[in-house]
Amino acid sequence: MSYIEKKYYSKIQEIFESLLILENSLLDQLEKRSVKNINEIAKLCANFNHSINVILKKYYPEIKGMSDKLTIKSVLKFYYDLIHKLTDLVRNIENFRKIDQEYYDKLIEFIKEKNNLISGKYKRICAQELTAFYDRNSRNNLEKVLLEKIERKSRQYFTIGSLEEEVKKIAVLSGAESVIIMNADQLSKEELESAQSIIMFDIGELQDFRQLIKIGNEIKKYLESKKYECVVKNDTVITNAKLLPD
């Protein structure tokens, strides 16, 4: 690891440590189970988001080691989901001025399960994503499978393939450097039970969270115009559109 990598890795760990204080403050607010403290929760959510963006824009691009990338990205995945859940909580309270008490319970449980989620679920997901995006053999194998499917020249494939190619084109035009489409049964379907396809995209070393969301939303907007359901998950879109044949 180079000097700059060590320095930035240390900076990232410092930010993660500082986020523990925010987590404790958030737990205190959630334990109140009241809509009256929604502004405090919204501020904490903004602080989480700011810290994560500092990591993504300033420090993460300099981390080259796959092991270090996996460690950092697994933690980031947890905070991506936490920010998403908090944003959803704030939006629901602002719209309806009330929330089911179970919502608070699930959020509290989610935060308390942080370490298990990072070392288990998120580490597995990030390992798959990093392998897909950075391992040359995996990329070659995926391309080989795609070429074999093209060579079949089945009418069904070309009908579906046009939609697949359109999705890839939209992702690239929106800033993606690489796009990988997988059958949904290769990854967890937790976000969308009717999922048929998972679209993963990458924008290179400069992982701008806002840019990733923008790309995901562009894909989502296109597929929804075709009457498909979609869920945007950072650098992943889960959809019930069947983009690859069996």
Side-chain angles (χ1 to χ4, degrees), residues 16 20 24 38 43-44 55 72-73 76 86 89 102 119 129 141 160 172 176 188 212 220 228:
F16 284 157
L20 294 176
N24 289 330
I38 191 60
K43 289 176 184 176
L44 287 168
I55 292 174
I72 296 167
K73 192 166 185 177
L76 290 176
L86 291 176
L89 173 68
E102 187 179 357
S119 62
E129 291 179 356
N141 288 336
I160 299 171
V172 170
S188 170
L212 291 172
K220 183 174 185 285
Y228 293 111

Side-chain angles (χ1 to χ4, degrees), residues 86-102:
L86 291 176
T87 302
D88 191 55
L89 173 68
V90 172
R91 183 171 57 247
N92 278 315
I93 291 178
E94 287 179 342
N95 289 338
F96 306 110
R97 299 307 302 171
K98 62 180 181 179
I99 200 77
D100 193 308
Q101 293 298 302
E102 187 179 357

